[in-house]
Amino acid sequence: MALQFSSACNFAFSQRRVEQIRAVASNDFLNVKTEEDKLVKLGGSDLKLTKLGIGAWSWGDTSYWNNFEWDDRKMKACKNAFDASIDSGITWFDTAEVYGSRFSFGAINSETLLGRFIKERKKKYPEEEIAVATKFAALPWRLGRESVLSALKDSLSRLELDSVELYQLHWPGIWGNEGYIDGLADAVEQGLVKAVGVSNYSEKRLREAYKQLKKRGIPLASNQVNYSLIYRIPEENGVKATCDELGISLIAYSPIAQGVLTGKYTPQNIPTGPRGNIYTAEFLTELQPLINRIKEIGESYNKTPTQVALNWLIAQDNVLPIPGAKNAEQAKEFGGALGWRLTSDEVDELRDLASKSKPVIGFPVEKL
């Protein structure tokens, strides 16, 4: 009887031990899978990024954002946005040499701020991986591949980094584009960047850039364009389809239409500054049925309109939105767009509702 009792105890213990091992193994597998789900490869490159990045256009800017003013309070808010983004699982940031620069009548260069924030963060958390994407301004007086490398080195100096993860042509040049593309390839070969991309490129220009880089054995990783639920021109002009065909990731700037899809603006409360001339009371009146439905869908997931609008883009696949965060609250909210997914019916319903309002003007060089 004692032997039977002992055997039964040993069996029960063994079973419990097996179940514990299985549970640990299962949890380890889930943790690995969760980590994999958080990251996506950027185009055909080896670079992996979180499915959502943070745009730093507004950091240091006084020509379009921040009501034409910049002070220590706003700089602190940007620093808090940076830290909150990383704490929320968003670990890559998109900037540009012209953001906040004197050339664009800004107060302080966005690259300078981002570099400072990274340096301060690394002192506390030296093992954290933070990815940086920045851009080359195709100004008319810049000619040839050397201009790309020179500008990149200036960006690296402002960022206080030896290299960046992604370097992009901010817009197509009036001339000299083949030289710019060669400059991107040179930057990869010199180890100054891990991946290269373009921005505001049409289908034709996208194919040309892809073909030219391919000859050098370098993938065109991304095309960054204006894309949101209420600005779906990339779906209509062949850019989205071409990205999908060629394996080029589409990075979506202005993914919440510069705040309009957050639901905080109404016909009686239009955006301040230049945005008020784009998103008028008349436009916001037309938009209300869509905004109301976004809110309803969000409530069913316990999500905000902002999170629904961003998730709609992520649900398109091969799309990485980069909303701009000016404070910690916004950054934390953006993090809530990850880890869940709208149904295909909800995606289609929102597109149908959005199609009832006219798209507003995009970045002018999209037409070049």
Side-chain angles (χ1 to χ4, degrees):
M1 183 72 177
L3 182 61
Q4 290 177 341
F5 178 76
S6 175
S7 298
C9 285
N10 287 336
F11 178 77
F13 175 79
S14 298
Q15 283 293 97
R16 230 177 5 255
R17 182 64 179 155
V18 168
E19 288 170 4
Q20 287 173 346
I21 291 170
R22 283 175 178 167
V24 169
S26 178
N27 286 337
D28 286 345
F29 174 77
L30 287 173
N31 288 337
V32 170
K33 193 173 191 311
T34 301
E35 285 300 312
E36 289 178 349
D37 287 345
K38 286 180 182 177
L39 300 174
V40 290
K41 281 186 69 176
L42 194 70
S45 74
D46 293 329
L47 178 61
K48 289 185 177 182
L49 299 172
T50 49
K51 293 181 179 181
L52 188 147
I54 294 294
W57 175 16
S58 67
W59 296 5
D61 177 77
T62 51
S63 63
Y64 191 86
W65 299 100
N66 301 306
N67 293 321
F68 311 108
E69 297 175 346
W70 186 256
D71 53 31
D72 289 343
R73 181 178 57 83
K74 289 179 179 176
M75 184 162 65
K76 185 177 180 180
C78 286
K79 174 62 166 62
N80 291 339
F82 171 81
D83 286 326
S85 298
I86 298 172
D87 293 340
S88 301
I90 304 169
T91 57
W92 70 279
F93 299 82
D94 179 85
T95 183
E97 63 173 325
V98 296
Y99 293 167
S101 69
R102 290 181 180 178
F103 175 79
S104 60
F105 307 103
I108 181 171
N109 197 290
S110 172
E111 289 178 328
T112 300
L113 289 174
L114 179 56
R116 187 182 301 170
F117 298 161
I118 292 172
K119 191 174 184 179
E120 292 173 3
R121 180 90 181 186
K122 285 285 188 178
K123 287 179 182 177
K124 286 186 178 180
Y125 310 102
E127 295 182 358
E128 273 186 345
E129 293 186 5
I130 302 168
V132 173
T134 191
K135 309 183 200 72
F136 166 84
L139 302 171
W141 54 87
R142 285 179 160 173
L143 301 173
R145 63 210 299 172
E146 296 82 7
S147 64
V148 175
L149 291 173
S150 177
L152 172 57
K153 289 172 183 176
D154 287 342
S155 288
L156 292 174
S157 177
R158 285 186 291 269
L159 288 160
E160 298 186 68
L161 296 171
D162 296 326
S163 65
V164 291
E165 279 65 33
L166 175 65
Y167 197 49
Q168 307 152 94
L169 302 182
H170 205 155
W171 58 81
I174 297 173
W175 48 67
N177 286 286
E178 288 187 3
Y180 296 155
I181 297 297
D182 279 333
L184 290 181
D186 293 343
V188 174
E189 291 175 353
Q190 292 183 26
L192 298 175
V193 301
K194 292 182 180 177
V196 291
V198 292
S199 181
N200 298 301
Y201 265 47
S202 65
E203 176 189 355
K204 181 176 181 292
R205 287 188 181 276
L206 199 56
R207 291 185 182 279
E208 290 170 351
Y210 174 87
K211 186 177 180 181
Q212 187 176 342
L213 282 170
K214 189 176 181 181
K215 290 178 181 177
R216 299 275 295 271
I218 295 169
L220 178 60
S222 61
N223 184 23
Q224 185 177 143
V225 294
N226 187 352
Y227 186 29
S228 71
L229 184 52
I230 60 172
Y231 189 83
R232 301 177 312 285
I233 300 302
E235 296 177 356
E236 300 165 10
N237 62 11
V239 166
K240 175 68 166 65
T242 302
C243 284
D244 293 344
E245 174 195 338
L246 300 179
I248 300 168
S249 292
L250 191 154
I251 299 175
Y253 70 76
S254 296
I256 50 176
Q258 299 177 20
V260 170
L261 290 173
T262 65
K264 71 177 180 179
Y265 297 116
T266 66
Q268 297 75 34
N269 176 37
I270 66 173
T272 58
R275 290 179 297 159
N277 298 321
I278 301 172
Y279 303 106
T280 62
E282 180 183 359
F283 177 81
L284 290 171
T285 299
E286 291 181 2
L287 207 62
Q288 286 312 294
L290 172 64
I291 297 297
N292 292 338
R293 184 58 183 140
I294 288 174
K295 288 178 178 177
E296 289 173 0
I297 290 174
E299 287 171 1
S300 69
Y301 288 95
N302 196 26
K303 296 292 180 180
T304 67
T306 297
Q307 293 163 343
V308 172
L310 291 171
N311 195 270
W312 184 89
L313 280 173
I314 294 170
Q316 305 309 310
D317 293 325
N318 196 34
V319 176
L320 289 76
I322 50 167
K326 293 192 287 184
N327 55 57
E329 290 71 26
Q330 290 178 346
K332 290 174 185 174
E333 184 177 17
F334 297 155
L338 299 170
W340 62 286
R341 193 178 179 96
L342 292 166
T343 67
S344 57
D345 287 344
E346 289 165 339
V347 168
D348 293 341
E349 181 189 0
L350 291 177
R351 180 183 278 107
D352 289 342
L353 276 172
S355 66
K356 292 178 170 59
S357 61
K358 297 177 182 177
V360 294
I361 189 169
F363 195 48
V365 295
E366 290 176 7
K367 302 296 182 183
L368 284 176

